[in-house]
Amino acid sequence: MSKVYVEDLSKHVGQEVRLHGWLYNKRSSGKIRFLLLRDGTGVVQGVMAKGAVADATFELFDQLTQESSFSLSGKVRKDDRAPGGFELDVTGMEIIHVAKEYPITPKEHGVEFLADRRHLWLRSARQHAIMRVRHRIIKAIRDFFDDRGFTLVDSPILTPAACEGTSTLFETPYFDLGSAFLTQSGQLYAEAGAMALGKVYCFGPTFRAEKSKTRRHLTEFWMVEPEVAFNDLNDNMDLAEEFLEYIVQSVLRDRAPELKTLERDVTKLQNVKRPFPRVSYDEAVEILHKRGIAFEWGNDLGGTDETVVSENFDRPVMVHRYPAAVKAFYMKRDPANAKVALAVDVLAPEGYGEIIGGSQREDDYDLLLARIDEQKLPREAFDWYLDLRRFGSVPHSGFGLGVERTVSWICGLDHVRETIAFPRMIYRLTP
Ligand code: 4AD
Ligand code: MG
């Protein structure tokens, strides 16, 4: 008898197969017992009739508690009323392990209760759907760059200095060398990669000791960062919009059942097609003023401001040329206006806020050194980075996409904590 997964049942109609999984639910009606088995690829109902199995097997039903592990043998039957389209007429069953009383029941639980049991919560249908969408997004990210001639050059996680401001650094002792910091972004190394390989990306976990306790912030999150030699800000925006369209359309095509489980309104995602609107920071400020918001030129856009700006559009909006003073040291100033940086943030629709941050990089040695000094960053730690401006410096650009914010938006979630298997936040380091 072949061992199969629920997702492959369509290939075995009329055949006798064996499934392994956990008990999702059960009920009985007269001489029939119904068992819902989930195996990670789907859920299928097994129908066990008295007489169709040995009496001892039929009795096993009573021992099966929620989340007990077991195997079911039976004949696959097509049934259009069944959730997955198939049912199993059970001929045999074996219990592998009888679960103790499972803490997560179909009733409502508070989010902290569930977060404390994240290792079990992942088994729930909703979390299962989110993880499947996350994986598809990550695959789309890799496919997108791999299919376009980018080389993956991963950046180190232990680094000697800050990349995105000194206020959110996680510090750790590092042998005789003093302190190391968990990386906030792989960008500086990706720039070195781009000078060696032209088009590169790095993709890994990044860390920010964020004091912000918002629905958009984690202390550990995944970021993908492409970096391209000879790309200017416009090229960077072209790349970002093609990239986002590709991700969203891949998920829509391949994860429709999961989006349905999540009750996501997919019509909003269908709009995510190029070209995306591009507005300057100045225009964004005008939008805020028209809405009666007393926003002062020079400030960074806050979460609420981002929501208000994005409400004007039915797809992601690219806001470019922010005041240089609120952006990172490595961003190139606009030759047409030294007050603004050649930066771009991509704001997701529906109030999800910034999902991409990027820029054209300062490629002039003297200007970059001046920025490093202005921001009181340690020169020694950036000497290697300055080499990129000493030896064949070229215009170049890149950006970083936060995976968790992207998952949150595409799944339509209230909080990023559900977008990663084991979230890390100021108040949460477990499980
Ligand atoms: O805008 P950020 O800080 O940009 C950088 O780190 C650049 N070095 C990237 C680059 O140009 N290569 O972060 C990029 C993205 C944000 O737009 C957001 O999606 C995500 O990373 N992000 C966070 N996600 C979750 N929790 C946090 N605390 C995040 N901080 C940033
Ligand atoms: Mg940013």
Side-chain angles (χ1 to χ4, degrees):
M1 204 181 313
S2 55
K3 183 172 159 184
V4 302
Y5 288 98
V6 173
E7 68 179 355
D8 297 323
L9 286 177
S10 64
K11 295 177 209 145
H12 298 276
V13 177
Q15 295 170 16
E16 180 111 1
V17 299
R18 187 162 191 178
L19 294 156
H20 294 77
W22 296 264
L23 186 79
Y24 199 59
N25 216 338
K26 67 174 187 179
R27 69 190 168 88
S28 58
S29 161
K31 293 202 161 90
I32 303 183
R33 303 285 179 266
F34 298 97
L35 300 144
L36 283 178
L37 172 141
R38 61 159 197 91
D39 71 351
T41 71
V43 178
V44 68
Q45 175 160 270
V47 182
M48 188 162 70
K50 200 168 169 68
V53 292
D55 282 353
T57 305
F58 195 74
E59 303 298 319
L60 286 177
F61 177 88
D62 294 330
Q63 290 182 34
L64 273 184
T65 52
Q66 189 188 344
E67 288 303 315
S68 287
S69 47
F70 67 115
S71 69
L72 271 186
S73 319
K75 205 166 171 182
V76 183
R77 175 167 42 77
K78 195 166 157 41
D79 185 330
D80 293 331
R81 292 160 310 170
F86 303 93
E87 279 196 342
L88 198 71
D89 289 321
V90 177
T91 54
M93 171 164 93
E94 270 173 44
I95 294 182
I96 299 165
H97 176 249
V98 175
K100 296 199 166 39
E101 197 180 337
Y102 194 65
I104 303 175
T105 59
K107 71 165 199 203
E108 285 270 318
H109 295 287
V111 73
E112 287 305 314
F113 176 93
L114 291 167
D116 286 340
R117 292 159 186 79
R118 182 66 176 163
H119 48 292
L120 301 176
W121 188 19
L122 287 172
R123 302 182 190 190
S124 306
R126 220 180 113 74
Q127 302 309 315
H128 178 268
I130 296 168
M131 287 304 117
R132 299 254 309 159
V133 172
R134 179 188 169 102
H135 178 212
R136 188 63 190 85
I137 289 171
I138 289 172
K139 179 172 159 46
I141 288 170
R142 293 200 180 279
D143 288 347
F144 180 85
F145 292 120
D146 295 348
D147 293 348
R148 284 164 182 75
F150 284 67
T151 301
L152 175 73
V153 180
D154 279 322
S155 302
I157 286 173
L158 291 166
T159 61
C163 173
E164 295 297 325
T166 48
S167 64
T168 62
L169 280 176
F170 277 112
E171 193 172 349
T172 176
Y174 199 82
F175 307 105
D176 295 337
L177 298 181
S179 281
F181 305 99
L182 297 185
T183 187
Q184 298 164 308
S185 154
Q187 179 198 320
L188 307 187
Y189 297 94
E191 287 183 52
M195 298 306 131
L197 294 137
K199 296 188 277 187
V200 299
Y201 69 106
C202 61
F203 192 8
T206 47
F207 306 85
R208 307 259 170 111
E210 294 273 8
K211 305 270 163 19
S212 5
K213 207 185 150 195
T214 77
R215 64 195 198 95
R216 297 172 184 178
H217 288 94
L218 294 167
T219 54
E220 175 178 322
F221 60 97
W222 283 67
M223 198 183 342
V224 58
E225 300 179 82
E227 191 71 35
V228 184
F230 306 105
N231 263 13
D232 64 13
L233 180 66
N234 280 329
D235 299 327
N236 206 30
M237 291 198 271
D238 292 346
L239 184 67
E241 67 179 0
E242 187 187 355
F243 179 51
L244 278 181
E245 174 185 295
Y246 182 83
I247 293 174
V248 171
Q249 299 306 322
S250 302
V251 174
L252 282 175
R253 188 182 64 236
D254 296 340
R255 288 293 177 269
E258 285 80 3
L259 294 173
K260 194 161 172 238
T261 299
L262 296 166
E263 295 171 1
R264 181 66 167 108
D265 177 359
V266 290
T267 58
K268 299 252 167 64
L269 296 175
Q270 280 154 0
N271 293 336
V272 182
K273 293 259 173 72
R274 284 172 287 169
F276 296 172
R278 300 180 185 196
V279 304
S280 66
Y281 171 90
D282 289 0
E283 289 164 326
V285 172
E286 259 174 56
I287 293 176
L288 293 173
H289 287 168
K290 277 198 191 119
R291 291 280 297 272
I293 294 168
F295 184 92
E296 215 178 299
W297 196 100
N299 289 339
D300 201 359
L301 298 180
T304 324
D305 306 317
E306 288 178 351
T307 301
V308 172
V309 172
S310 65
E311 272 167 1
N312 285 287
F313 308 98
D314 67 349
R315 62 199 69 202
V317 52
M318 304 203 266
V319 182
H320 55 84
R321 295 183 170 77
Y322 282 72
V326 299
K327 288 293 184 190
F329 75 95
Y330 53 71
M331 292 189 181
K332 190 176 176 64
R333 305 286 164 107
D334 187 347
N337 176 7
K339 278 210 165 85
V340 303
L342 294 175
V344 58
D345 277 3
V346 184
L347 312 181
E350 303 173 77
Y352 282 93
E354 180 199 331
I355 48 171
I356 283 182
S359 72
Q360 186 169 333
R361 321 305 189 186
E362 183 51 72
D363 48 22
D364 179 85
Y365 177 88
D366 295 318
L367 292 176
L368 185 58
L369 185 62
R371 295 284 126 67
I372 289 171
D373 289 345
E374 250 167 57
Q375 306 218 359
K376 303 204 170 52
L377 295 167
R379 269 195 191 198
E380 329 74 69
F382 290 97
D383 198 46
W384 70 267
Y385 183 61
L386 284 159
D387 267 358
L388 307 177
R389 279 74 177 166
R390 286 186 186 107
F391 304 108
S393 188
V394 299
H396 62 289
S397 301
F399 59 81
L401 169 92
V403 168
E404 289 74 18
R405 288 194 191 169
T406 306
V407 176
S408 187
W409 162 49
I410 293 179
C411 290
L413 309 179
D414 295 336
H415 199 292
V416 287
R417 72 184 143 220
E418 285 181 78
T419 62
I420 183 163
F422 296 99
R424 296 290 172 249
M425 293 169 287
I426 347 178
Y427 299 113
R428 181 163 295 282
L429 192 56
T430 55

